[in-house]
Amino acid sequence: MSKTVVWPKVILFGDSITQFSFQANGWGAEIANKLARKCDVVNRGLSGYNSRWAKIVLPRLITSQNPADSNIAAVTVFFGANDCALEDKNPQQHVPLQEYSENLKEISRLLASAGVSEDKVIFVTPPPLHEPSWEKECILKGCPLNRHNSVAGQYAQACVQAAGQCGTEVLDLWTLMQKDGQDYTIYLSDGLHLSEKGNQFVAQHLWGLLERRVADLPFILPYWGDVDAKSPESSLLCYN
């Protein structure tokens, strides 16, 4: 009797930086390409969302009651770029710093309750913000500059601290992209979202954290050269 082929999953949970990561040359697409035939990479990016809304919808996205969620290899949690919006300029998306930290911890707890242990979770901090470029985007939308890089840094630090308290891995983009005084603007397309180089940067550094979590996953279904041409069923229907 043939067995159902179970594809493990890597779930990318975040805001627009995650939602758009499956576009051409996006970091999510790069991760998915690396994991072809090993697991499904699922995009659960929600443009404009903050951590407050994320913790509310998470139980609807990942639950122990869903058999499809029984084999999750890793989950990335990538929020903060909207949370750090200035309260007086963008109250709808703004989340206070302490609440942001608590929301990340709650997301970790919700994942654990769904069967995703801490060692499978990777927090990702917001990237740095280039204020002159983002201000131009804000003006085009008829609003004043609503984010500051220094504030994004505070949220990045809170994310790192929350990861330490939760026992999860963390990718600190805010720090890495500005390390040694490098020109971080090359990583941003509009001052906030990622450029092609920024997507490459995220893919490279995230893969460094993901690789050991998926290293032992087998190649699903046999390589074509290993299929018995005279009796393909013997190769394809009995393969674990």
Side-chain angles (χ1 to χ4, degrees):
M1 183 179 295
S2 63
K3 300 178 181 178
T4 299
V5 179
V6 178
W7 294 73
K9 291 195 292 188
V10 169
I11 299 178
L12 312 179
F13 183 43
D15 53 34
S16 61
I17 301 177
T18 296
Q19 180 176 322
F20 302 146
S21 72
F22 272 24
Q23 293 180 346
N25 301 310
W27 62 269
E30 176 66 19
I31 295 297
N33 183 57
K34 286 181 178 293
L35 291 175
R37 291 284 291 276
K38 284 198 167 186
C39 63
D40 289 334
V41 177
V42 182
N43 188 328
R44 292 293 180 263
L46 302 163
S47 179
Y49 274 51
N50 56 32
S51 63
R52 179 184 295 161
W53 303 340
K55 73 175 185 179
I56 295 172
V57 300
L58 180 58
R60 302 182 64 189
L61 305 179
I62 303 174
T63 171
S64 59
Q65 307 304 312
N66 183 359
D69 291 337
S70 62
N71 194 0
I72 295 175
V75 177
T76 60
V77 178
F78 194 170
F79 290 95
N82 296 316
D83 298 69
C84 74
L86 303 177
E87 183 176 14
D88 60 334
K89 300 294 194 299
N90 187 351
Q92 185 175 9
Q93 290 180 304
H94 169 78
V95 172
L97 186 61
Q98 184 59 40
E99 183 190 341
Y100 168 68
S101 177
E102 293 303 319
N103 288 342
L104 291 179
K105 296 174 191 175
E106 179 63 15
I107 287 171
S108 179
R109 287 191 288 267
L110 289 169
L111 288 171
S113 70
V116 183
S117 56
E118 293 86 351
D119 61 306
K120 294 181 178 181
V121 179
I122 301 171
F123 285 173
V124 185
T125 77
L129 179 87
H130 185 239
E131 293 170 25
S133 298
W134 183 242
E135 185 172 25
K136 292 178 182 178
E137 294 295 318
C138 291
I139 291 172
L140 288 174
K141 297 175 182 177
C143 61
L145 178 66
N146 55 26
R147 289 166 173 81
H148 291 317
N149 189 39
S150 60
V151 177
Q154 295 172 11
Y155 282 71
Q157 184 178 12
C159 180
V160 171
Q161 292 173 346
Q165 293 167 354
C166 294
T168 68
E169 197 90 64
V170 63
L171 175 57
D172 185 358
L173 291 180
W174 192 87
T175 298
L176 286 172
M177 286 183 170
Q178 298 179 94
K179 189 175 181 181
D180 299 325
Q182 64 181 307
D183 178 16
Y184 69 89
T185 63
I186 64 173
Y187 301 128
L188 304 171
S189 62
D190 56 8
L192 173 66
H193 300 95
L194 300 176
S195 65
E196 184 172 335
K197 285 186 179 294
N199 276 281
Q200 292 171 354
F201 187 97
V202 173
Q204 175 189 346
H205 286 82
L206 182 58
W207 180 247
L209 301 178
L210 273 176
E211 189 172 16
R212 62 184 174 82
R213 290 171 168 80
V214 298
D216 294 333
L217 293 178
F219 195 66
I220 296 177
L221 294 174
Y223 175 66
W224 71 268
D226 295 331
V227 176
D228 185 341
K230 294 182 180 179
S231 178
E233 291 84 0
S234 64
S235 301
L236 301 176
L237 297 184
C238 298
Y239 188 85
N240 290 326

